[in-house]
C-alpha cells in the first residue's frame, strides 16, 4: 500500500497584512476560508476528511504570533487537534520585517534557506517554541514556506529533534528549493539526519515537472498519479494544499472546481481497493530508501490539455467573473 499524505500549509496571508487587512479578517479568510459562499477553509477540509475516515497534516506557520500575539495561532491549532488531525511546523520568514522586535538585527531572507546556520537555528527553534506554546504537541515534521529549504535546514531540524521534512519539491529545484537531492527523488530518503518526504510530482509535458497540489493538477491527473504510485509500489505520495486553497485568489468566493477535486481525492483515498492508504507522519516508518528514486507518472497530452482547458474555464468563472457564476457540471 502507498501511504498518501494530504498536507495543508496553514497560514495567515502576508499579502493581506501588507494591504492593510486586519488580523481577524485575515484569519477568517486565509485559514477558515470565510467568503460570500460560506466557509471553505480548514474546518470544511477537516469535515470532508472526517466524513471519509481520513486524516490530514496541517503545517501551521506560528510566525504571525510575533506580530499579532500567540492567541491567533492557538485559534488555528485548537480546532485541528480537537478534530484529531496532525499539526506540524511551517514557517514563512517574510514575517520578520513586520515584527515589532527584530530578533535578527535586520538580517532578512525570503526563505528559511536564505539564512546561515545560526539564524536558521534561532528561527526554527523559536517557531517550534511558539507552536508548542499555542498548544501543539512537539512537531516532528517541517515544511518550509515556498519550499525554500536547503541542506543546512535539514541539519538544523535534525538537531532540534525533527524526524521528517517535506520541503523538497523537485518542481522548485533551481529556485527556492535548494536541498541537494536529484529531481528523480520520488520515495522518502534519509538526508542530513532525518527522513525527507518529497512533494509528489508528475510530468505534464516530457521533461517538465508539475507538483501534486490541488490547484495544480486536475482530478484526472491526480487520480492517474495515485494509481501509478500504487502500481509502482511507491512508499509515500505527498499532496500539497493550503488553508485557502478552495477559494478564489481574492478570497471572495469559493472555487467549485477545486472543491470537486478535493472531494474526488477524498473518495479515492477512502477506498482501500485502490492500493492507497491515507497517512500522517505518526503512521510512517522513519527510515527512507537508500536513494529515494522511483518511477514518476509520464506525460500524457490528453490529460495536460484537459487540465489547461479546465483551469481556463475556472479562471473565467472564479477569478475574472465578479458574480462568481457556478461551474458547469
Amino acid at each position: 500500500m502507498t501511504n498518501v499524505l494530504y498536507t495543508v500549509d496553514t497560514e495567515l496571508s502576508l499579502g493581506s497584512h501588507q494591504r492593510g487587512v486586519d488580523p481577524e479578517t485575515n484569519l477568517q479568510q486565509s485559514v477558515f476560508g470565510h467568503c460570500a459562499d460560506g466557509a471553505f477553509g480548514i474546518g470544511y477540509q477537516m469535515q470532508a476528511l472526517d466524513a471519509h475516515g481520513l486524516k490530514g497534516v496541517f503545517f501551521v506557520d506560528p510566525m504571525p504570533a510575533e506580530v499579532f500575539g500567540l492567541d491567533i495561532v492557538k485559534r488555528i491549532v485548537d480546532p485541528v487537534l480537537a478534530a484529531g488531525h496532525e499539526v506540524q511546523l511551517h514557517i514563512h520568514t517574510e514575517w520578520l520585517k513586520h515584527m515589532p522586535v527584530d530578533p535578527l538585527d535586520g538580517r532578512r531572507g525570503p526563505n528559511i534557506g536564505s539564512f546561515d546556520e545560526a539564524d536558521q537555528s534561532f528561527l526554527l527553534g523559536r517557531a517550534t517554541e511558539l507552536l508548542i506554546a499555542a498548544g501543539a504537541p512537539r512537531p516532528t515534521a517541517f515544511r518550509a514556506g515556498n519550499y525554500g529549504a536547503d541542506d543546512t535546514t535539514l541539519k538544523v531540524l535534525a538537531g532540534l529533534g525533527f524526524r521528517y521534512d517535506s520541503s523538497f519539491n523537485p518542481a522548485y529545484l533551481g529556485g527556492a528549493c535548494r536541498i541537494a537531492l536529484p529531481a528523480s527523488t520520488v520515495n522518502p530518503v534519509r538526508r542530513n539526519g532525518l527522513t525527507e518526504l518529497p512533494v509528489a510530482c508528475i510530468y505534464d509535458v516530457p521533461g517538465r515537472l508539475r507538483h501534486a497540489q490541488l490547484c495544480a493538477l486536475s482530478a484526472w491527473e491526480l487520480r492517474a498519479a495515485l494509481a501509478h504510485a500504487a502500481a509502482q509500489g511507491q512508499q509515500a505520495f505527498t499532496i500539497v494544499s493550503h488553508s485557502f486553497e478552495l477559494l478564489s485568489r481574492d478570497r471572495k468566493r469559493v472555487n467549485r472546481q477545486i472543491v470537486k477535486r478535493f472531494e474526488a481525492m477524498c473518495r479515492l483515498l477512502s477506498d482501500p481497493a485502490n492500493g492507497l492508504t491515507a497517512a500522517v507522519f505518526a503512521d510512517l516508518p522513519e527510515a527512507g530508501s537508500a536513494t529515494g528514486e522511483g518511477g514518476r507518472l509520464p506525460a500524457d497530452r490528453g490529460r495536460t490539455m484537459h487540465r489547461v482547458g479546465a483551469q481556463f474555464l475556472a479562471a473565467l468563472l472564479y477569478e475574472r467573473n465578479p458574480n462568481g457564476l457556478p461551474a458547469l457540471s
Side-chain angles (χ1 to χ4, degrees):
M1 299 286 280
T2 295
N3 288 308
V4 181
L5 287 87
Y6 176 71
T7 65
V8 183
D9 292 355
T10 307
E11 58 201 33
L12 295 177
S13 168
L14 181 67
S16 293
H17 175 63
Q18 291 172 330
R19 290 191 298 272
V21 174
D22 65 272
E24 182 64 25
T25 301
N26 197 340
L27 176 69
Q28 294 302 325
Q29 291 180 339
S30 300
V31 175
F32 298 118
H34 285 277
C35 66
D37 302 304
F40 293 88
I42 63 170
Y44 176 87
Q45 293 183 49
M46 289 189 292
Q47 288 175 4
L49 292 169
D50 292 343
H52 290 85
L54 308 174
K55 296 297 180 187
V57 179
F58 291 79
F59 283 103
V60 176
D61 180 8
M63 299 307 282
E66 300 281 45
V67 182
F68 307 121
L70 190 63
D71 183 66
I72 202 165
V73 179
K74 182 175 176 58
R75 290 172 62 192
I76 299 170
V77 169
D78 283 351
V80 176
L81 296 179
H85 297 274
E86 193 173 72
V87 172
Q88 299 291 359
L89 184 66
H90 190 50
I91 188 173
H92 277 276
T93 58
E94 302 100 312
W95 285 102
L96 275 167
K97 65 181 180 181
H98 299 283
M99 294 179 184
V101 177
D102 186 348
L104 293 185
D105 297 324
R107 295 188 295 281
R108 298 286 181 267
N111 305 303
I112 187 65
S114 307
F115 295 86
D116 65 20
E117 183 173 346
D119 284 349
Q120 289 200 46
S121 294
F122 172 82
L123 290 168
L124 292 170
R126 179 57 179 159
T128 301
E129 292 172 357
L130 287 169
L131 194 62
I132 293 171
R138 177 168 287 277
T140 60
F142 173 76
R143 175 175 294 143
N146 309 316
Y147 311 104
D150 64 3
D151 282 326
T152 297
T153 311
L154 306 188
K155 176 183 175 183
V156 170
L157 289 168
L160 290 170
F162 283 76
R163 297 170 57 196
Y164 304 98
D165 178 71
S166 187
S167 304
F168 181 70
N169 185 335
Y172 277 64
L173 279 178
C177 184
R178 297 190 294 170
I179 297 171
L181 286 168
S184 56
T185 305
V186 170
N187 283 303
V189 61
R190 292 294 293 176
R191 183 78 176 177
N192 285 12
L194 45 66
T195 299
E196 181 66 39
L197 263 75
V199 173
C201 293
I202 70 168
Y203 288 104
D204 68 337
V205 298
R208 187 177 73 185
L209 292 172
R210 191 171 183 88
H211 65 290
Q213 183 172 337
L214 277 185
C215 69
L217 297 187
S218 69
W220 182 9
E221 287 173 318
L222 184 57
R223 184 171 62 251
L226 287 166
H228 180 81
Q232 294 285 314
Q234 190 169 319
Q235 297 169 29
F237 188 101
T238 303
I239 300 169
V240 175
S241 183
H242 289 81
S243 48
F244 47 80
E245 189 100 356
L246 307 185
L247 301 185
S248 59
R249 289 186 182 91
D250 63 7
R251 311 283 199 268
K252 292 183 178 180
R253 60 188 67 87
V254 66
N255 186 323
R256 300 285 180 189
Q257 185 184 93
I258 307 302
V259 169
K260 288 182 177 180
R261 289 182 194 174
F262 170 63
E263 292 175 347
M265 179 206 74
C266 289
R267 291 192 296 272
L268 185 66
L269 296 184
S270 66
D271 185 352
N274 292 317
L276 308 166
T277 182
V280 295
F281 284 95
D283 300 325
L284 300 180
E286 186 166 346
S289 67
T291 66
E293 296 186 2
R296 185 172 273 136
L297 182 70
D300 179 275
R301 185 176 181 182
R303 285 195 303 261
T304 299
M305 294 305 295
H306 174 269
R307 186 239 310 146
V308 170
Q311 290 190 317
F312 176 75
L313 176 61
L316 290 176
L317 291 172
Y318 305 117
E319 307 299 341
R320 302 176 192 174
N321 180 1
N323 296 316
L325 295 177
L328 300 176
S329 59

